[in-house]
Amino acid sequence: MDGEPKRNNDQRAHRAASSRYSGAGLRSILVAFVLTITPLLFASQVSAQSVLQIDDETLADRPISKVVFKGLSRVTEQEISNNVRVAAGQPFEANSVRADVGNLYRLGQFETVGATATLLQDGTVEVHITFVEQAIVLDLQFVGNKLISDQELRKAVSLYAGGPRDDFLLEQSMKKIKDLYRKRGNFLCEVTVDETRLTDSGILIIRIVEGPRVKIKEIEFIGNASFDARELNAEVRTRGSIPLFVKGELDEELLIDDVAALDKFYRDRGFVDVRADRRVTLSPDNTEAKVAFIIDEGRQYRLRSLVVEGRGAEGPRPLAVFSEEQLRDLGAIHTGDVFSRLKLDKTLALIKDAYLLMGHIDVVVTDRYVRTGEDPEVDLIITVSEGSRVVTGVVLVQGNFLTRDRVIRRLVRVQPGRVLDGRELTLSKERVQGSQLFNLVRVTVQRARPEDQVIAQDEIDEGGVRTEVRDLLVEVKEKNTGAVNFGLGMGTDSGVFGEFSINQKNFDIEDHPLTFEELIAGRAYRGAGQQFAISIAPGNEVSIVSLDFTEPHLMESDVSLRINPFFRERIYEDWNEARASVGGSLSRRFGDFWSGGMRTNLQWVELTNFDADTPDQVVADAGPETWFSIGPYLSFLDTDNQFRPSRGTKFELALTQFMEVGNGETFTSVKAGFTNFYTLSEDFLGRKTTLRVNGDVGYIFGGDAPTYEKFYLGGRSFRGFQFRTVSPKGTIGGLPDPDNDGVGGNWLAFLGTQVEQPIMGASFSGVAFIDSGTVTNEVELSPWRVSVGVGVRLYIPQFGPAPLAFDFAVPVVKDPTDQTQVFSFSAEIPF
């Protein structure tokens, strides 16, 4: 490199010196020794000097005459040139050279990368970058693995045969392999690399000692004087082994999380000095483990005093927006309370929300506490950095190439020119994401522009409040919202049916295609946030053709319009029913959970293909008849998951007035239903055991309803009984027939409970349930039916969010005329 000319001159000097003293043997030996070690010493000295030369100020801004790459064998100079910025003709900058060295290291191709610079006689700089390439991994082998195949292990290893050695990736791969084994319960798994073979031959051999599977047989809590083991066990996710239900595997990372959870549990209850740890004791054969959580509770502290103070960039400053008394009263923790971290965090959040509401989006609220004397008491100091008040400038929307701006803007409830409610930043993002039209959503407040910045002088004089005008940027990334589906469905209530459907969640009825190619490419009829679906589902018992169109913001209002015409043909055992309907609704949301509106429907119904067993009441309603219905409804929805809720409530109340077109016959139907979800427990994988409680009541009055509009239970709606058989029975020729079909009732009551327990992963669950209810013509609870049963649920993402449901139920309380059905199921399988 740059030391080569000097080295040659020194070598000639040494040879001259040795010739002058060739007569002296001892001196010859000394000269030979010097000649041997001098290049080594000189090389290290040159290297040290070279490092200094890069940072030498005399090289700064001098032109680079040449960049030389040395030590390359496998990697091409072109690949290096593509990853460096230093080039001939540019001014020399030490920082640029160092940055290039860092970039080259990150390629993973080199063991070392060094750079030196030489100042030439013409005043230019020659840069030398020297490489020592990584060794090549010639082959990858695994030794000792029996539980996991080589193919599965290779997926966890980032290195590959023919690629360079990378110690970082190798260490990462070993960790991934350990994680694979620990997920299978092999807590004591050891993974090592044969370094000798890797260095000598380039063969990467990963040795695995799988060890036995360790099952947790017992969990113990030591030192818990204030809380019993049952309370603490609910805070940890480590579970003992229960055959077929809980694996009880020992997971070190989960134990660390459990210790943190116990620490938080105690601090939330005022135990400031709590200390928690865990101890694992293995059985002699290393197959079973006892986990002990050790707790030193300490004393429970109370709050002696609370001070709220303001702070600015220059240091302490008086509060300007709220007074100290207002903020103290706003908090969830007060003097004399247990010093709960949970209450303290809630207090900080309440104070921050109060400032966000006033437009102080940059507010910072922090806390610190001080122990006082010997008593278990603390003084709490809450510091508030109020920041500036922000007024909304321009609301900018970017990334929506097909979706109209108004679709996004109506979900971002921020008005230009008004004080910016900081809480709306999070809520707006959640609403835009909840529309399911975008893959990515970002809502950010931009920096204040100098020309838009306003200082309210009167407020500065009074309290130092500064007002800024800042723009709001909403960035979205659109996703494909259309789908064409083919599927197959079957069930004990509906028979077998196929389905073809076209769905578009971001429909635009006004966006007509200009060309056929535009229609095929999906750039037409899209972008207004409307929802459109058309479905054709022929079946052996039920056939349906339907269309559904929803405008969520009719004429840019908060009113939603839905139109859903359909035709359905149903084949019952003793007759057929054909029904054509044109339905619609206007609805409006009231807050985040409540909604209400008006539904209307015009339907034509005809019953045909009667046989000798058809009830008289059904024959009398043969028709065809046309009915018009209208009525209000009110609903409530607050669940943690739209498709698989584990917590929350659903409720709906509807009143419908029916009128027969032509002769004026009328009747009124009222129906209410609720479903509550409760989480009973949650395992360490996040799988939840849930309890579902649901009930329905309905009543028809004010006239005689036809049989096809009355209430029925049975089948999937009341497991253990045949479809539509929980109902008053019909007559044939005026005579009752206990085995005849139900003809519906005017009164319905139902109450059911179901517990769902995950069995295998998140896709296979078991259920146990109790269904009960009745359908009669009068408001009464007799005869009341009850059934109990068990079943399974298969959640397969490729089949959609609805599970495949298979249930076995046995009636334990029934009427003598009831027809039972032990097995029922429902399944929809898309292609």
Side-chain angles (χ1 to χ4, degrees):
M1 295 186 291
D2 60 325
E4 287 296 324
K6 297 180 181 180
R7 187 181 299 114
N8 294 335
N9 292 334
D10 289 343
Q11 288 173 347
R12 285 195 295 269
H14 283 297
R15 284 198 298 269
S18 63
S19 64
R20 288 196 300 270
Y21 295 99
S22 58
L26 179 60
R27 291 181 180 178
S28 299
I29 295 174
L30 291 175
V31 168
F33 177 74
V34 171
L35 287 173
T36 302
I37 67 170
T38 297
L40 298 176
L41 295 175
F42 185 75
S44 62
Q45 184 179 8
V46 169
S47 176
Q49 292 173 349
S50 298
V51 173
L52 292 175
Q53 287 177 358
I54 292 177
D55 296 318
D56 197 327
E57 295 182 357
T58 60
L59 298 175
D61 296 328
R62 291 180 178 272
I64 298 175
S65 58
K66 188 177 182 182
V67 179
V68 179
F69 304 129
K70 290 192 174 184
L72 295 178
S73 175
R74 183 182 68 257
V75 183
T76 65
E77 289 194 5
Q78 182 61 47
E79 185 177 354
I80 300 300
S81 299
N82 293 339
N83 288 276
V84 297
R85 293 178 297 173
V86 174
Q90 294 181 349
F92 180 86
E93 293 183 7
N95 289 336
S96 298
V97 175
R98 276 192 292 269
D100 285 342
V101 169
N103 291 335
L104 294 171
Y105 262 120
R106 283 189 285 273
L107 292 178
Q109 299 281 356
F110 307 106
E111 183 177 343
T112 62
V113 180
T116 58
T118 302
L119 180 60
L120 303 181
Q121 293 180 353
D122 59 1
T124 62
V125 179
E126 186 174 283
V127 178
H128 289 236
I129 301 180
T130 307
F131 304 89
V132 176
E133 294 181 338
Q134 288 279 19
I136 295 297
V137 178
L138 300 178
D139 193 13
L140 173 61
Q141 299 177 8
F142 300 96
V143 177
N145 56 306
K146 297 178 180 178
L147 298 176
I148 303 178
S149 66
D150 286 4
Q151 291 76 12
E152 188 173 354
L153 291 176
R154 287 182 188 276
K155 296 178 182 179
V157 178
S158 303
L159 302 176
Y160 57 92
R165 170 177 176 171
D166 189 318
D167 290 339
F168 174 78
L169 294 180
L170 182 57
E171 190 67 30
Q172 194 178 52
S173 300
M174 293 169 62
K175 182 179 183 303
K176 289 180 180 179
I177 292 175
K178 283 186 178 181
D179 290 341
L180 285 177
Y181 275 97
R182 290 188 175 185
K183 288 180 180 178
R184 287 167 168 77
N186 295 72
F187 178 74
L188 301 176
C189 171
E190 292 293 336
V191 182
T192 58
V193 172
D194 191 332
E195 289 286 352
T196 302
R197 291 291 298 275
L198 181 59
T199 302
D200 295 345
S201 63
I203 300 176
L204 174 58
I205 300 178
I206 298 179
R207 300 187 182 276
I208 301 171
V209 180
E210 295 179 327
R213 290 192 176 185
V214 181
K215 300 288 186 180
I216 300 175
K217 289 300 181 182
E218 184 181 355
I219 298 177
E220 182 183 14
F221 296 90
I222 300 174
N224 52 312
S226 303
F227 305 97
D228 59 34
R230 185 179 61 179
E231 291 179 273
L232 299 181
N233 193 60
E235 300 300 317
V236 300
R237 294 192 296 163
T238 298
R239 291 288 179 264
S241 174
I242 302 177
L244 300 180
F245 292 98
V246 182
K247 293 182 179 180
E249 297 170 345
L250 193 59
D251 189 327
E252 181 66 23
E253 293 183 1
L254 187 60
L255 290 176
I256 295 173
D257 292 341
D258 287 341
V259 170
L262 291 173
D263 185 272
K264 181 179 183 300
F265 175 84
Y266 272 92
R267 290 182 185 277
D268 287 346
R269 288 153 181 79
F271 292 85
V272 175
D273 300 325
V274 65
R275 293 183 296 175
D277 204 348
R278 82 283 185 194
R279 183 177 65 218
V280 178
T281 304
L282 298 176
S283 63
D285 60 357
N286 291 330
T287 61
E288 297 180 353
K290 175 182 177 181
V291 177
F293 291 101
I294 306 167
I295 302 166
D296 181 5
E297 294 181 335
R299 298 183 297 175
Q300 188 179 44
Y301 282 73
R302 293 188 175 274
L303 182 63
R304 189 182 74 166
S305 67
L306 171 60
V307 176
V308 183
E309 61 183 20
R311 179 170 291 275
E314 68 285 353
R317 60 174 294 176
L319 293 168
V321 182
F322 298 99
S323 67
E324 181 180 359
E325 291 75 16
Q326 287 176 314
L327 296 180
R328 276 204 303 260
D329 294 340
L330 186 65
I333 188 170
H334 301 91
T335 302
D337 291 348
V338 171
F339 186 61
S340 165
R341 186 72 228 182
L342 186 65
K343 286 186 176 181
L344 175 54
D345 290 341
K346 185 177 180 180
T347 297
L348 300 180
L350 289 170
I351 293 175
K352 184 174 182 178
D353 282 349
Y355 276 93
L356 292 176
L357 178 62
M358 301 296 292
H360 293 258
I361 64 172
D362 296 324
V363 63
V364 178
V365 184
T366 58
D367 71 277
R368 67 182 189 276
Y369 63 87
V370 180
R371 294 178 177 84
T372 59
E374 297 295 329
D375 296 329
E377 294 179 331
V378 298
D379 292 336
L380 176 63
I381 301 97
I382 296 178
T383 303
V384 181
S385 178
E386 297 177 316
S388 303
R389 180 171 56 196
V390 176
V391 173
T392 308
V394 179
V395 179
L396 304 171
V397 178
Q398 293 182 357
N400 53 318
F401 301 106
L402 295 173
T403 306
R404 299 188 182 187
D405 275 12
R406 67 176 186 233
V407 175
I408 303 170
R409 291 182 184 277
R410 62 195 179 202
L411 298 173
V412 181
R413 299 171 186 172
V414 176
Q415 297 297 324
R418 296 187 179 181
V419 173
L420 176 58
D421 184 351
R423 302 172 303 173
E424 273 297 319
L425 300 177
T426 300
L427 295 175
S428 295
K429 179 179 178 180
E430 292 175 351
R431 283 192 290 268
V432 176
Q433 286 178 328
S435 68
Q436 299 182 359
L437 304 181
F438 309 101
N439 284 323
L440 174 68
V441 179
R442 281 198 297 261
V443 180
T444 54
V445 180
Q446 306 302 292
R447 292 184 178 181
R449 295 178 295 182
E451 62 269 23
D452 291 337
Q453 186 168 313
V454 178
I455 301 178
Q457 188 63 41
D458 55 339
E459 291 182 306
I460 287 181
D461 292 342
E462 294 177 6
V465 177
R466 183 186 186 92
T467 301
E468 295 179 342
V469 178
R470 297 169 67 176
D471 297 338
L472 184 68
L473 176 63
V474 182
E475 298 173 280
V476 298
K477 183 179 180 181
E478 293 181 315
K479 69 178 181 180
N480 183 18
T481 53
V484 177
N485 300 314
F486 298 87
L488 174 68
M490 61 190 73
T492 49
D493 295 354
S494 57
V496 180
F497 59 92
E499 183 178 15
F500 168 75
S501 64
I502 300 175
N503 302 279
Q504 176 56 259
K505 297 179 182 178
N506 194 12
F507 189 69
D508 187 351
I509 198 171
E510 299 177 359
D511 182 23
H512 306 294
L514 299 178
T515 63
F516 181 75
E517 289 76 12
E518 189 178 45
L519 176 63
I520 297 300
R523 295 193 297 270
Y525 294 118
R526 184 178 173 190
Q530 301 162 352
Q531 298 176 19
F532 173 83
I534 184 170
S535 174
I536 302 174
N540 68 327
E541 294 184 14
V542 182
S543 298
I544 301 175
V545 178
S546 66
L547 184 147
D548 199 319
F549 171 79
T550 302
E551 168 56 81
H553 295 273
L554 183 63
M555 300 178 65
E556 293 305 308
S557 68
D558 292 331
V559 177
S560 173
L561 168 67
R562 182 184 182 191
I563 301 174
N564 56 321
F566 73 89
F567 174 80
R568 183 183 70 197
E569 185 175 16
R570 174 105 203 189
I571 300 175
Y572 295 104
E573 185 177 354
D574 300 324
W575 72 93
N576 295 350
E577 175 189 297
R579 186 187 299 246
S581 169
V582 178
S585 66
L586 291 172
S587 61
R588 188 183 190 280
R589 294 191 66 85
F590 305 100
D592 294 327
F593 307 118
W594 289 94
S595 64
M598 186 72 66
R599 296 187 181 123
T600 183
N601 189 43
L602 180 66
Q603 62 177 346
W604 169 90
V605 183
E606 183 179 16
L607 308 180
T608 59
N609 292 345
F610 303 124
D611 61 21
D613 295 326
T614 304
D616 299 337
Q617 292 83 352
V618 174
V619 176
D621 293 330
E625 295 176 341
T626 303
W627 291 87
F628 174 75
S629 63
I630 188 171
Y633 76 94
L634 182 68
S635 66
F636 176 87
L637 176 62
D638 179 19
T639 57
D640 59 349
N641 187 284
Q642 181 181 358
F643 302 108
R644 196 173 179 179
S646 61
R647 177 205 59 77
T649 299
K650 295 193 295 186
F651 169 80
E652 181 168 325
L653 172 65
L655 175 69
T656 308
Q657 178 67 42
F658 289 81
M659 177 183 298
E660 185 180 0
V661 177
N663 60 18
E665 292 289 335
T666 63
F667 67 92
T668 305
S669 173
V670 60
K671 191 172 183 180
F674 77 93
T675 305
N676 282 348
F677 299 93
Y678 306 92
T679 299
L680 301 181
S681 64
E682 182 176 357
D683 65 16
F684 66 93
L685 295 177
R687 301 176 302 181
K688 298 177 181 179
T689 300
T690 59
L691 169 66
R692 186 191 74 189
V693 180
N694 63 298
D696 292 285
V697 293
Y699 185 55
I700 297 174
F701 59 94
D704 293 329
T707 54
Y708 48 77
E709 292 295 344
K710 289 191 174 184
F711 297 128
Y712 298 85
L713 286 174
R716 296 299 299 168
S717 64
F718 195 155
R719 291 161 291 188
F721 298 89
Q722 286 191 20
F723 179 57
R724 286 168 55 104
T725 59
V726 178
S727 157
K729 302 301 187 289
T731 61
I732 299 178
L735 299 177
D737 184 355
D739 295 329
N740 202 10
D741 296 309
V743 293
N746 296 326
W747 164 255
L748 176 146
F750 178 84
L751 182 64
T753 62
Q754 175 175 293
V755 175
E756 182 171 349
Q757 168 69 49
I759 297 177
M760 186 179 298
S763 60
F764 182 62
S765 299
V767 299
F769 57 86
I770 300 175
D771 288 349
S772 66
T774 189
V775 176
T776 63
N777 283 320
E778 304 296 333
V779 180
E780 57 184 353
L781 299 181
S782 178
W784 189 259
R785 286 92 162 174
V786 179
S787 68
V788 298
V790 295
V792 296
R793 300 290 181 269
L794 296 178
Y795 294 90
I796 303 176
Q798 293 80 1
F799 290 178
L804 307 184
F806 305 90
D807 292 325
F808 295 86
V810 177
V812 294
V813 179
K814 61 179 181 177
D815 190 73
T817 62
D818 290 335
Q819 301 177 45
T820 61
Q821 177 179 281
V822 174
F823 176 69
S824 65
F825 72 96
S826 65
E828 294 186 19
I829 305 174
F831 298 145

